[in-house]
Amino acid sequence: MRAGLLLAFLAPAALACELPGGAAQQVKSAATTVVYRTPALKVGEHFAVEFAVCPAPESVRVDAWMPEHRHGMNYKPSVVALGAGRYRADGLMFHMGGRWEFVFEVRSGGKTERLAHSVRLE
Amino acid sequence: MRRGLAVLLLAAAQVAQAFSDAEVRAIAGHGPWPPAFKADPSNRVSGNKEAIDLGERLFFERRLSSNGEHSCSRCHLPERNWTDGEARARGLALTDRNTPSLNNVRLHRWFGWDGAHDSLWSQAIRPILDAKEMGSSAAQVAKLVREDADYACRYRKVFGTPVLDDDKVLVDVAKALAAFQETVMSARTPFDEFRDALVKGDKAGIAKYPESAQRGLQIFIGKGSCNICHVGPAFTNGEFHDTGIAFFIEPGRVDPGRHEGIKKVLSSPYNLLGKYSDDMARSSATGTRHVVLEHRNFGEFKTPSLRNLALTAPYMHNGRLATLRDVVDHYSNISPDRLHSDGEAILKPLKLSDRETRDLVAFLESLQDGGGNYKRKAFAADCR
């Protein structure tokens, strides 16, 4: 009974997937949640993405592409683990306006899952 | 008189109504102009007045070349909007590419049609050493600066050291040249006046912009989608694209464009990750650190700025198109078969009518400031 109460008390905190500092975008699959935040995006300017992956994966890669234009970025982001399932990806750049799709490739339990999220850049 | 004013205001209101909110936002994104100066952190003399003066002298200095006849200004003529009017540049020999204008060059991220350089100063080294351009060497450049008393004096004042190591002098000369080229900026244009008037809701100001240019602007940001790559106040995203221009230089010889440019910049001792950059934090090297080489980069060339475009004919990386009309016709009739099958799916034939073509050209012509803002000086050897 006491163990059950403790689990119930801890569960919401353990499942919460968030970044310090509030508002962020969220992408979910059945097994994985990614929350990410970018600065205000501008065409032709490098930017970094802060993100968290829950549950914490073995590894994660970030990329982005323009599905309608059939091309990706001209730069390969580097990902640094900040601990506790949080990461920072540097070196991204959207070099055109239009619809871009962020892609998070999350590897856990020997499997790779791909979570995508669209943004529109004017 | 009152009736005339009413008609004018009505006309202005009608013109203003011709642009949707989304179009106004798109147009506003092409300004304001000019942008504020930001010093280049990789060049410790960027924005330094004495370095600009030294760089200006060196820009016109023919003794930097192996035969004493070529200077930077031989191809980048101020009177020709900092280009030469030739299809392909000719230094000591004919090169493979068109001379890009230096106007607004400080706003670029990559330099040269293939982006083989990641700073203005490292780009300035290339033509000095290139056998087809100035054919010089670090030793020759250092000898000039060391033995010419006026240059030696100015070098000491700018860099705080006597002329020592040849390679370091070559880099410092390039940094002074870059400091000067950072000052080469085009002035405001009829488009800028219109853009600002539109943002402010100044109907009289809006009405001064020719209707043909307004229609051309609507094509530029609408049907033509030209602003996908020609973005921002400088009308370029600073990146690279295959635009269907043949990259054969002559039978059996091709210009690989960005594909080779990425290899060159990553292997250059003068890149922003190397020892010659003055940006110790390497904050300006993000692009160099993360740029990635892909097969699709073959035959890609840099998106040029469109400011003062009408003054820089002929066009494209190899000067293949003679007039602005030819450029618009190229995009109007482009064959998708000419583009990489694994490349971007962006360009489609615009199929513009004759009037639409004339309107788009009228808009592009409204991006010029008239040129001729730079006046050549007589340089006195008076450094003390």
Side-chain angles (χ1 to χ4, degrees), chain B residues 212-238:
Chain B
S212 176
Q214 294 196 35
R215 290 193 300 269
L217 172 56
Q218 274 184 312
I219 295 168
F220 186 85
I221 61 173
K223 176 179 178 178
S225 296
C226 313
N227 63 337
I228 287 182
C229 297
H230 293 286
V231 300
F235 290 87
T236 173
N237 62 358

Side-chain angles (χ1 to χ4, degrees), chain A residues 43-46 68-78 90-91 93 95-97 122, chain B residues 25 109-110 228-229 231 237 239-241 286-287 290-292 294 296 341 343-346:
Chain A
V43 175
E45 288 191 8
H46 283 290
E68 286 82 8
H69 290 185
R70 228 177 46 198
H71 66 75
M73 296 185 294
N74 292 336
Y75 302 89
K76 185 177 180 183
S78 55
D90 281 300
M93 185 209 282
H95 59 280
M96 292 179 184
E122 277 195 12
Chain B
R25 282 198 301 277
R109 176 185 313 112
W110 301 105
I228 287 182
C229 297
V231 300
N237 62 358
E239 293 290 321
F240 303 82
H241 302 279
T286 304
H290 293 278
V291 71
V292 59
E294 294 186 32
R296 71 172 167 87
S341 57
E344 307 162 327
I346 303 171

Side-chain angles (χ1 to χ4, degrees), chain B residues 69-375:
Chain B
E69 292 181 8
H70 295 268
S71 64
C72 307
S73 64
R74 171 97 175 211
C75 293
H76 298 285
L77 285 86
E79 302 79 12
R80 286 184 173 265
N81 202 46
W82 306 93
T83 180
D84 56 8
E86 303 292 333
R88 286 157 57 187
R90 181 181 287 280
L92 291 169
L94 182 65
T95 71
D96 295 335
R97 295 181 184 150
N98 182 254
T99 303
S101 170
L102 296 182
N103 256 323
N104 315 316
V105 69
R106 73 171 169 83
L107 303 177
H108 290 240
R109 176 185 313 112
W110 301 105
F111 299 84
W113 282 104
D114 59 1
H117 298 273
D118 55 1
S119 70
L120 187 49
W121 56 266
S122 65
Q123 164 64 26
I125 293 172
R126 190 195 55 75
I128 294 174
L129 302 183
D130 192 313
K132 287 184 173 178
E133 298 195 40
M134 295 163 77
S136 188
S137 64
Q140 183 182 338
V141 171
K143 185 169 185 286
L144 170 67
V145 178
R146 192 178 289 124
E147 293 182 358
D148 182 292
D150 195 67
Y151 278 136
C153 170
R154 292 180 194 281
Y155 179 90
R156 222 171 24 250
K157 282 190 166 183
V158 172
F159 294 103
T161 58
V163 183
L164 296 170
D165 172 64
D166 289 358
D167 278 334
K168 182 180 176 305
V169 175
L170 174 66
V171 171
D172 287 343
V173 160
K175 286 179 177 172
L177 282 165
F180 166 62
Q181 290 171 70
E182 286 173 343
T183 67
V184 177
M185 295 291 291
S186 62
R188 283 176 64 80
T189 68
F191 166 77
D192 296 310
E193 300 301 334
F194 169 74
R195 179 261 176 206
D196 290 1
L198 191 67
V199 168
K200 285 187 234 159
D202 168 10
K203 291 174 181 172
I206 291 168
K208 288 179 187 166
Y209 194 53
E211 285 186 30
S212 176
Q214 294 196 35
R215 290 193 300 269
L217 172 56
Q218 274 184 312
I219 295 168
F220 186 85
I221 61 173
K223 176 179 178 178
S225 296
C226 313
N227 63 337
I228 287 182
C229 297
H230 293 286
V231 300
F235 290 87
T236 173
N237 62 358
E239 293 290 321
F240 303 82
H241 302 279
D242 171 15
T243 57
I245 295 289
F247 40 81
F248 277 95
I249 300 162
E250 56 201 17
R253 200 160 69 87
V254 298
D255 187 335
R258 183 59 170 158
H259 198 267
E260 193 65 22
I262 292 175
K263 290 183 192 173
K264 282 182 179 171
V265 74
L266 293 179
S267 63
S268 170
Y270 305 114
N271 75 26
L272 290 174
L273 297 169
K275 66 178 181 180
Y276 294 107
S277 170
D278 298 323
D279 177 11
M280 294 306 145
R282 300 290 186 260
S283 60
S284 54
T286 304
T288 315
R289 194 178 290 116
H290 293 278
V291 71
V292 59
L293 182 66
E294 294 186 32
H295 180 259
R296 71 172 167 87
N297 297 130
F298 203 92
E300 288 182 343
F301 295 91
K302 195 168 75 175
T303 309
S305 168
L306 301 183
R307 286 190 176 269
N308 275 6
L309 182 69
L311 305 170
T312 65
Y315 302 104
M316 315 312 267
H317 73 273
N318 54 7
R320 195 180 179 89
L321 302 178
T323 68
L324 273 182
R325 169 103 198 185
D326 292 340
V327 176
V328 173
D329 284 343
H330 169 74
Y331 289 109
S332 192
N333 305 312
I334 195 166
S335 166
D337 296 339
R338 299 284 300 266
L339 304 171
H340 268 205
S341 57
D342 64 344
E344 307 162 327
I346 303 171
L347 293 174
K348 298 177 180 67
L350 299 178
K351 297 184 177 163
L352 301 176
S353 68
D354 183 59
R355 176 176 148 146
E356 287 174 324
T357 299
R358 279 187 277 114
D359 288 343
L360 189 47
V361 170
F363 163 65
L364 295 171
E365 287 175 341
S366 78
L367 297 175
Q368 65 167 303
D369 65 3
N373 301 320
Y374 178 83
K375 301 285 177 258

Side-chain angles (χ1 to χ4, degrees), chain A:
Chain A
M1 174 64 185
R2 185 177 289 177
L5 186 64
L6 188 63
L7 271 179
F9 183 72
L10 284 178
L15 290 175
C17 196
E18 52 193 31
L19 289 170
Q25 300 291 328
Q26 187 178 71
V27 202
K28 287 181 86 163
S29 70
T32 308
T33 302
V34 173
V35 290
Y36 75 92
R37 183 164 53 224
T38 68
L41 298 175
K42 283 189 180 173
V43 175
E45 288 191 8
H46 283 290
F47 64 94
V49 180
E50 287 179 75
F51 64 102
V53 183
C54 309
E58 291 158 19
S59 65
V60 61
R61 292 198 314 176
V62 181
D63 207 344
W65 73 307
M66 296 189 87
E68 286 82 8
H69 290 185
R70 228 177 46 198
H71 66 75
M73 296 185 294
N74 292 336
Y75 302 89
K76 185 177 180 183
S78 55
V79 176
V80 178
L82 305 174
R86 287 175 48 223
Y87 303 85
R88 177 185 165 93
D90 281 300
L92 294 94
M93 185 209 282
F94 293 165
H95 59 280
M96 292 179 184
R99 187 172 80 90
W100 285 85
E101 200 172 82
F102 281 111
V103 178
F104 298 88
E105 276 190 15
V106 179
R107 186 155 182 85
S108 292
K111 291 182 179 171
T112 301
E113 192 177 15
R114 198 169 174 274
L115 290 88
H117 193 246
S118 284
V119 292
R120 181 161 284 282
L121 192 60
E122 277 195 12

